Amino acid sequence: MSAEAVTTPHADLTEDDVRRIVKEEVASALRKDPGMRTGAIVASKGTLDWAYPPLILANAAAAVGMEVSVFFTFYGLNIVHKDFDKKLKVDPVGNPAMPMPVAMPDLVTAMPGMVSLASRMMKKRFSDHKVSSIGDLIDTAKEMEVRLIACQMTVDVFGYDQGDFLDGVEFGGAAAFMAHARKSNMTLFV
Amino acid sequence: MSEITEDALVDARELMCPMPVMAATKAARRLEPGQILKIMATDKGALSDIPAWAESNGHELVEQSTEGTDFVFVVRTGEPD
């Protein structure tokens, strides 16, 4: 076989051309990497303060073009329960980071009524700062097609049924979450 | 002041993170590629959030300015990919 028979149509490409083309193709492939466009978040806490981070991050991920699912498990189920507004509370006991108007010892913050007082204070503080409510964040997440998945096992263990949860909430198990999480570059446990 | 006329305006003033980018996303989805979206915000977080949001979505940040307490961003929408 003669040397001419193996010449390629782009034999005039220099090494620099090839390097540039490969670089561009790799960059383009990375931009299309599905892992960069997929996110999976676990929401495991059921207090008012901890309801914000998974919802804020899920919304932000959707805004930057990611397909996100949030897996609500254990106390995190509170966030997508129909009574989330009543269920999500904050307790100053054991939470030294919580800002209080005046310094209060645990003996005071442990008194009856303090949980609902602290919860009202936190809601007011957030709304004074124009931070969206949990309800608004859930509505926006749904509008952005964030998948809200309640952990079926904890739904059963806590004695709930599927009808106790907000419209649009899906139900799934740990394996269903993993199937999604393994494709996601971003996986968060909250 | 911007010389560019916008095709859509998002007034996200007074809204806090993540709502300015959520409002911008909703507005950008209604525009064609190459159209101009103007976003106004007062949340200081928007100063990093809007440019990051634009870059992630392939939009071009054409202008950014501060008018009093308002942060103003002018974005040209990119091709969806």
Side-chain angles (χ1 to χ4, degrees):
Chain A
M1 189 189 261
S2 71
E4 284 78 10
V6 293
T7 46
T8 61
H10 300 294
D12 54 337
L13 283 176
T14 65
E15 186 180 330
D16 281 350
D17 288 334
V18 175
R19 285 187 187 282
R20 180 180 48 78
I21 291 165
V22 169
K23 208 168 166 182
E24 284 169 7
E25 289 297 319
V26 169
S28 150
L30 284 176
R31 272 198 302 278
K32 289 179 188 145
D33 174 10
M36 271 183 61
R37 300 172 162 276
T38 317
I41 301 174
V42 178
S44 70
K45 310 280 195 297
T47 53
L48 177 61
D49 46 351
W50 282 101
Y52 279 95
L55 293 176
I56 290 173
L57 294 170
N59 274 302
V64 297
M66 295 168 73
E67 284 177 25
V68 205
S69 28
V70 189
F71 188 67
F72 297 90
T73 189
F74 280 79
Y75 312 117
L77 290 174
N78 273 359
I79 303 169
V80 283
H81 192 280
K82 278 179 177 160
D83 288 333
F84 68 87
D85 205 31
K86 276 186 223 139
K87 285 180 167 287
L88 295 171
K89 293 174 184 158
V90 67
D91 191 344
V93 170
N95 187 359
M98 191 176 166
M100 300 297 277
V102 288
M104 286 186 202
D106 273 1
L107 274 175
V108 176
T109 54
M111 303 233 309
M114 283 305 288
V115 169
S116 67
L117 177 67
S119 304
R120 278 205 307 276
M121 275 171 49
M122 179 166 271
K123 281 181 192 171
K124 184 172 184 306
R125 197 175 183 92
F126 274 54
S127 78
D128 286 351
H129 281 83
K130 312 283 184 201
V131 175
S132 300
S133 65
I134 295 298
D136 287 343
L137 287 166
I138 291 171
D139 289 344
T140 310
K142 282 192 201 165
E143 211 179 317
M144 289 284 149
E145 294 170 8
V146 172
R147 290 178 63 192
L148 307 174
I149 304 166
C151 163
Q152 183 66 57
M153 181 274 277
T154 39
V155 167
D156 294 338
V157 170
F158 291 166
Y160 295 134
D161 66 55
Q162 295 193 354
D164 293 329
F165 294 89
L166 296 169
D167 289 344
V169 171
E170 303 168 50
F171 297 86
F177 172 78
M178 283 305 161
H180 185 81
R182 68 184 301 175
K183 293 185 224 149
S184 310
N185 286 2
M186 187 207 71
T187 312
L188 300 174
F189 184 91
V190 181
Chain B
M1 281 297 285
S2 172
E3 299 292 309
I4 304 169
T5 316
E6 68 272 12
D7 296 298
L9 170 69
V10 170
D11 185 352
R13 286 176 294 183
E14 305 270 288
L15 298 179
M16 293 288 275
C17 173
M19 288 312 184
V21 291
M22 304 321 292
T25 303
K26 287 183 211 171
R29 284 181 181 179
R30 286 192 291 267
L31 292 178
E32 299 291 326
Q35 286 194 296
I36 297 291
L37 177 64
K38 182 174 172 183
I39 303 152
M40 302 176 79
T42 47
D43 174 20
K44 290 186 198 78
L47 288 172
S48 57
D49 277 0
I50 297 288
W53 164 84
E55 196 207 336
S56 298
N57 287 293
H59 305 318
E60 181 195 353
L61 183 59
V62 183
E63 269 184 28
Q64 183 177 337
S65 59
T66 304
E67 293 170 14
T69 54
D70 299 346
F71 306 122
V72 183
F73 306 87
V74 177
V75 166
R76 181 178 288 114
T77 55
E79 296 283 341
D81 52 9

